[in-house]
Coordinates of all heavy atoms in Angstrom, one line a residue:
W11 N 110.4 88.0 93.7 CA 111.3 87.8 92.5 C 111.5 89.1 91.8 O 110.5 89.7 91.3 CB 110.7 86.8 91.5 CG 110.9 85.4 92.0 CD1 111.7 84.4 91.5 CD2 110.0 84.7 92.9 NE1 111.5 83.2 92.1 CE2 110.5 83.3 93.0 CE3 108.9 85.0 93.7 CZ2 109.9 82.4 93.8 CZ3 108.4 84.1 94.5 CH2 108.9 82.8 94.5
L12 N 112.7 89.6 91.7 CA 113.0 90.8 91.0 C 114.0 90.5 89.9 O 115.0 89.8 90.2 CB 113.5 91.9 92.0 CG 112.5 92.5 93.0 CD1 113.2 93.4 93.9 CD2 111.4 93.2 92.3
V13 N 113.9 91.1 88.8 CA 114.9 91.0 87.7 C 115.6 92.3 87.5 O 114.9 93.3 87.3 CB 114.2 90.5 86.4 CG1 115.2 90.4 85.3 CG2 113.5 89.2 86.6
N14 N 116.9 92.3 87.6 CA 117.6 93.6 87.4 C 117.6 94.1 86.0 O 117.4 93.3 85.0 CB 119.1 93.4 87.8 CG 119.2 93.1 89.3 OD1 118.5 93.7 90.1 ND2 120.2 92.3 89.7
G15 N 117.7 95.4 85.8 CA 117.6 95.9 84.5 C 116.3 95.9 83.8 O 115.3 96.1 84.5
V16 N 116.2 95.5 82.6 CA 114.9 95.4 81.9 C 114.1 94.2 82.5 O 114.6 93.1 82.5 CB 115.1 95.2 80.4 CG1 113.8 95.1 79.7 CG2 115.9 96.4 79.8
V17 N 112.9 94.5 82.9 CA 112.1 93.4 83.5 C 111.4 92.6 82.4 O 110.6 93.2 81.6 CB 111.1 94.0 84.5 CG1 110.3 92.9 85.1 CG2 111.8 94.8 85.5
K18 N 111.7 91.4 82.3 CA 111.1 90.5 81.3 C 110.3 89.4 81.9 O 109.6 88.7 81.3 CB 112.2 89.9 80.3 CG 112.9 91.0 79.5 CD 113.8 90.4 78.5 CE 114.4 91.5 77.6 NZ 115.4 90.9 76.6
M19 N 110.5 89.2 83.2 CA 109.7 88.2 83.9 C 108.8 88.9 84.9 O 109.1 90.0 85.4 CB 110.7 87.2 84.6 CG 111.5 86.4 83.6 SD 112.5 85.1 84.5 CE 111.2 84.1 85.2
P20 N 107.7 88.2 85.3 CA 106.8 88.8 86.3 C 107.5 89.1 87.6 O 108.4 88.3 88.0 CB 105.7 87.7 86.4 CG 105.9 86.8 85.2 CD 107.3 86.9 84.9
I21 N 107.0 90.1 88.3 CA 107.4 90.3 89.7 C 106.3 89.7 90.5 O 105.1 90.0 90.3 CB 107.5 91.8 89.9 CG1 108.7 92.4 89.1 CG2 107.7 92.1 91.4 CD1 108.9 93.8 89.2
K22 N 106.6 88.9 91.5 CA 105.6 88.1 92.2 C 105.9 88.2 93.7 O 107.0 88.0 94.1 CB 105.7 86.7 91.8 CG 105.4 86.4 90.3 CD 105.7 85.0 89.8 CE 107.2 84.8 89.8 NZ 107.5 83.4 89.2
T23 N 104.8 88.6 94.4 CA 105.0 88.7 95.9 C 103.8 87.9 96.5 O 102.7 87.8 96.0 CB 105.0 90.1 96.3 OG1 103.8 90.8 95.9 CG2 106.1 90.9 95.8
I24 N 104.1 87.5 97.8 CA 103.0 86.9 98.6 C 102.9 87.8 99.8 O 103.6 87.6 100.8 CB 103.4 85.5 99.0 CG1 103.5 84.6 97.7 CG2 102.3 84.9 99.9 CD1 102.3 84.5 96.9
E25 N 102.1 88.8 99.7 CA 101.9 89.8 100.8 C 100.5 90.3 100.8 O 99.7 90.0 100.0 CB 102.9 91.0 100.6 CG 104.4 90.6 100.7 CD 105.3 91.8 100.6 OE1 104.9 92.9 101.1 OE2 106.3 91.7 99.9
D26 N 100.2 91.1 101.9 CA 98.9 91.7 102.0 C 98.8 92.8 100.9 O 99.7 93.7 100.8 CB 98.8 92.4 103.4 CG 97.3 92.8 103.7 OD1 96.8 93.5 102.9 OD2 96.8 92.4 104.7
A27 N 97.7 92.9 100.2 CA 97.5 93.8 99.1 C 97.5 95.3 99.6 O 97.8 96.2 98.9 CB 96.2 93.6 98.3
R28 N 97.2 95.4 100.9 CA 97.2 96.8 101.5 C 98.6 97.4 101.7 O 98.7 98.6 101.7 CB 96.4 96.8 102.8 CG 94.9 96.4 102.6 CD 94.3 96.2 104.0 NE 94.7 94.9 104.5 CZ 94.1 94.3 105.6 NH1 93.1 95.0 106.2 NH2 94.5 93.2 106.0
T29 N 99.6 96.6 101.8 CA 100.9 97.1 102.2 C 102.0 96.7 101.3 O 103.1 97.1 101.5 CB 101.2 96.6 103.6 OG1 101.1 95.2 103.7 CG2 100.2 97.2 104.6
V30 N 101.8 95.8 100.3 CA 102.8 95.3 99.4 C 103.4 96.5 98.7 O 102.7 97.4 98.3 CB 102.3 94.3 98.4 CG1 101.2 94.8 97.5 CG2 103.5 93.7 97.6
T31 N 104.8 96.5 98.6 CA 105.5 97.7 98.0 C 106.0 97.4 96.6 O 106.6 96.4 96.4 CB 106.7 98.1 98.9 OG1 106.2 98.4 100.2 CG2 107.4 99.3 98.3
L32 N 105.7 98.3 95.7 CA 106.1 98.1 94.3 C 107.4 99.0 94.2 O 107.5 100.0 94.8 CB 105.1 98.7 93.4 CG 105.3 98.6 91.9 CD1 105.4 97.1 91.4 CD2 104.2 99.3 91.1
E33 N 108.4 98.5 93.4 CA 109.6 99.2 93.1 C 109.2 100.6 92.6 O 108.4 100.7 91.6 CB 110.5 98.5 92.1 CG 111.2 97.2 92.7 CD 112.3 97.7 93.6 OE1 113.4 98.1 93.0 OE2 112.2 97.5 94.8
P34 N 109.8 101.7 93.1 CA 109.5 103.0 92.7 C 109.6 103.2 91.2 O 108.8 104.0 90.6 CB 110.4 103.9 93.5 CG 110.8 103.1 94.7 CD 110.8 101.7 94.2
K35 N 110.6 102.6 90.5 CA 110.8 102.8 89.1 C 109.8 102.1 88.2 O 109.7 102.4 87.0 CB 112.2 102.4 88.7 CG 112.4 100.9 88.8 CD 113.9 100.5 88.4 CE 114.1 99.0 88.6 NZ 115.5 98.6 88.2
L36 N 109.0 101.3 88.8 CA 108.0 100.5 88.0 C 106.6 101.2 88.1 O 106.1 101.4 89.2 CB 107.9 99.1 88.5 CG 109.2 98.3 88.5 CD1 109.0 96.9 89.0 CD2 109.8 98.2 87.1
I37 N 106.1 101.5 86.9 CA 104.8 102.2 86.9 C 103.8 101.3 86.2 O 104.0 100.8 85.1 CB 104.9 103.5 86.1 CG1 105.9 104.5 86.7 CG2 103.5 104.2 86.0 CD1 105.6 104.9 88.1
V38 N 102.7 101.0 87.0 CA 101.7 100.2 86.5 C 100.7 101.0 85.7 O 100.2 102.0 86.1 CB 100.9 99.4 87.6 CG1 99.7 98.7 87.1 CG2 101.9 98.5 88.3
K39 N 100.3 100.5 84.5 CA 99.4 101.3 83.6 C 97.9 100.8 83.9 O 97.0 101.6 84.0 CB 99.7 101.0 82.1 CG 98.7 101.6 81.1 CD 98.7 103.2 81.3 CE 99.9 103.8 80.9 NZ 99.8 105.3 80.8
T40 N 97.7 99.5 84.1 CA 96.4 99.0 84.4 C 96.4 98.0 85.5 O 97.2 97.1 85.5 CB 95.8 98.4 83.1 OG1 95.6 99.4 82.1 CG2 94.4 97.7 83.4
W41 N 95.5 98.2 86.5 CA 95.3 97.3 87.6 C 94.1 96.4 87.4 O 93.0 96.9 87.0 CB 95.2 98.0 88.9 CG 96.4 98.7 89.4 CD1 96.7 100.1 89.2 CD2 97.5 98.2 90.1 NE1 97.9 100.3 89.8 CE2 98.4 99.2 90.3 CE3 97.8 96.9 90.5 CZ2 99.6 99.0 91.0 CZ3 99.0 96.7 91.2 CH2 99.9 97.7 91.4
I42 N 94.2 95.1 87.6 CA 93.1 94.2 87.7 C 92.8 93.9 89.1 O 93.8 93.5 89.9 CB 93.4 92.9 86.9 CG1 93.9 93.1 85.5 CG2 92.1 92.0 86.9 CD1 93.0 93.7 84.6
F43 N 91.6 94.1 89.6 CA 91.3 94.0 91.0 C 90.1 93.1 91.2 O 89.0 93.6 91.0 CB 91.1 95.4 91.7 CG 91.0 95.4 93.2 CD1 91.8 94.6 94.0 CD2 90.0 96.2 93.8 CE1 91.7 94.7 95.3 CE2 89.9 96.3 95.2 CZ 90.8 95.5 95.9
D44 N 90.4 91.9 91.7 CA 89.3 90.9 91.9 C 89.3 90.5 93.3 O 89.8 89.4 93.6 CB 89.5 89.7 90.9 CG 88.3 88.7 91.0 OD1 87.2 89.1 91.4 OD2 88.6 87.5 90.7
P45 N 88.9 91.3 94.3 CA 89.0 91.0 95.7 C 88.0 89.9 96.1 O 87.0 89.6 95.4 CB 88.7 92.3 96.4 CG 87.7 93.0 95.4 CD 88.1 92.6 94.0
P46 N 88.1 89.4 97.3 CA 87.1 88.5 97.9 C 85.8 89.3 97.9 O 85.8 90.6 98.1 CB 87.6 88.2 99.3 CG 89.1 88.4 99.2 CD 89.3 89.5 98.2
Y47 N 84.6 88.7 97.8 CA 83.4 89.4 97.7 C 82.7 89.6 99.1 O 81.7 90.2 99.2 CB 82.4 88.7 96.8 CG 83.0 88.5 95.3 CD1 82.6 87.5 94.5 CD2 83.9 89.4 94.8 CE1 83.1 87.3 93.3 CE2 84.4 89.3 93.5 CZ 84.0 88.3 92.8 OH 84.5 88.1 91.5
N48 N 83.3 89.0 100.1 CA 82.8 89.1 101.5 C 81.4 88.6 101.6 O 80.5 89.2 102.2 CB 82.9 90.6 101.9 CG 83.1 90.7 103.5 OD1 83.8 89.9 104.0 ND2 82.4 91.6 104.1
I49 N 81.2 87.4 101.1 CA 79.9 86.7 101.2 C 80.0 85.4 102.0 O 79.1 84.6 101.9 CB 79.3 86.5 99.8 CG1 80.3 85.6 98.9 CG2 79.0 87.8 99.0 CD1 79.8 85.2 97.6
G50 N 81.1 85.2 102.7 CA 81.2 84.0 103.5 C 81.7 82.8 102.8 O 81.6 81.7 103.3
F51 N 82.3 83.0 101.6 CA 82.8 81.9 100.9 C 84.1 81.3 101.6 O 84.9 82.0 102.1 CB 83.2 82.3 99.4 CG 83.6 81.1 98.5 CD1 82.6 80.4 97.9 CD2 84.9 80.8 98.3 CE1 82.9 79.4 97.0 CE2 85.2 79.7 97.5 CZ 84.2 79.0 96.9
N52 N 84.2 80.0 101.6 CA 85.3 79.3 102.2 C 86.5 79.1 101.3 O 86.6 78.1 100.6 CB 84.9 78.0 102.8 CG 86.0 77.3 103.6 OD1 86.9 78.0 104.1 ND2 85.9 76.0 103.8
Y53 N 87.3 80.1 101.1 CA 88.5 80.0 100.2 C 89.5 79.1 100.9 O 89.8 78.0 100.5 CB 89.1 81.4 100.0 CG 88.3 82.3 99.1 CD1 87.4 83.2 99.6 CD2 88.3 82.2 97.7 CE1 86.6 84.1 98.9 CE2 87.6 83.0 96.9 CZ 86.7 84.0 97.5 OH 86.0 84.8 96.7
N54 N 90.2 79.6 101.9 CA 91.1 78.9 102.7 C 91.4 79.7 104.0 O 90.9 80.8 104.1 CB 92.4 78.6 101.9 CG 93.0 79.8 101.4 OD1 93.5 80.7 102.1 ND2 93.0 79.9 100.0
S55 N 92.3 79.2 104.8 CA 92.6 79.9 106.1 C 93.3 81.3 105.9 O 93.2 82.1 106.8 CB 93.5 79.0 107.0 OG 94.7 78.8 106.3
S56 N 93.9 81.5 104.8 CA 94.6 82.8 104.6 C 93.7 83.9 104.1 O 94.1 85.1 104.1 CB 95.8 82.6 103.6 OG 95.3 82.3 102.3
V57 N 92.5 83.6 103.6 CA 91.6 84.6 103.1 C 90.3 84.6 103.9 O 89.6 83.6 104.1 CB 91.2 84.2 101.6 CG1 90.2 85.3 101.1 CG2 92.5 84.2 100.7
K58 N 90.0 85.8 104.5 CA 88.8 85.9 105.3 C 87.7 86.6 104.4 O 87.9 87.7 103.9 CB 89.1 86.8 106.5 CG 90.1 86.2 107.5 CD 90.2 87.0 108.8 CE 91.0 86.3 109.8 NZ 92.4 86.5 109.7
D59 N 86.6 85.8 104.2 CA 85.5 86.3 103.4 C 84.3 86.7 104.2 O 83.2 86.7 103.7 CB 85.2 85.3 102.3 CG 84.5 85.9 101.1 OD1 84.9 87.0 100.7 OD2 83.5 85.3 100.7
N60 N 84.5 86.9 105.5 CA 83.3 87.2 106.3 C 83.7 88.3 107.3 O 83.4 88.3 108.5 CB 82.9 86.0 107.1 CG 84.0 85.4 108.0 OD1 85.2 85.8 107.8 ND2 83.7 84.5 108.9
L61 N 84.3 89.4 106.7 CA 84.7 90.5 107.5 C 83.5 91.3 107.9 O 82.5 91.3 107.2 CB 85.7 91.4 106.7 CG 87.0 90.8 106.3 CD1 87.8 91.7 105.4 CD2 87.9 90.4 107.5
S62 N 83.6 92.1 108.9 CA 82.6 93.1 109.2 C 82.6 94.1 108.0 O 83.6 94.2 107.3 CB 82.8 93.8 110.5 OG 84.0 94.7 110.3
L63 N 81.5 94.8 107.8 CA 81.4 95.7 106.7 C 82.5 96.8 106.8 O 83.1 97.1 105.7 CB 80.0 96.4 106.7 CG 79.5 97.0 105.4 CD1 79.5 96.0 104.3 CD2 78.2 97.6 105.5
M64 N 82.8 97.3 107.9 CA 83.8 98.3 108.1 C 85.2 97.8 107.8 O 86.0 98.4 107.1 CB 83.7 99.0 109.5 CG 82.5 99.8 109.7 SD 82.1 101.0 108.4 CE 83.5 102.0 108.5
D65 N 85.4 96.5 108.2 CA 86.7 95.9 107.9 C 86.9 95.6 106.5 O 88.0 95.8 105.9 CB 86.9 94.6 108.8 CG 87.2 94.9 110.2 OD1 87.6 96.0 110.6 OD2 87.0 93.9 111.0
Y66 N 85.8 95.2 105.8 CA 85.9 95.0 104.4 C 86.1 96.3 103.6 O 86.9 96.3 102.7 CB 84.5 94.3 103.9 CG 84.6 93.9 102.5 CD1 85.5 93.0 102.0 CD2 83.7 94.5 101.6 CE1 85.5 92.6 100.7 CE2 83.6 94.1 100.2 CZ 84.5 93.2 99.8 OH 84.5 92.8 98.4

Side-chain angles (χ1 to χ4, degrees):
W11 282 258
L12 292 175
V13 179
N14 294 324
V16 178
V17 181
K18 294 185 178 179
M19 295 188 61
I21 295 176
K22 301 171 285 186
T23 58
I24 299 296
E25 296 184 39
D26 192 308
R28 293 169 287 189
T29 56
V30 61
T31 301
L32 184 64
E33 285 285 287
K35 65 180 180 180
L36 302 179
I37 301 298
V38 172
K39 177 59 69 172
T40 294
W41 292 99
I42 311 295
F43 187 43
D44 183 26
Y47 301 151
N48 208 42
I49 56 175
F51 188 84
N52 184 22
Y53 290 95
N54 55 66
S55 60
S56 63
V57 179
K58 294 187 172 85
D59 199 45
N60 57 350
L61 299 172
S62 71
L63 200 57
M64 293 309 298
D65 285 343
Y66 185 62

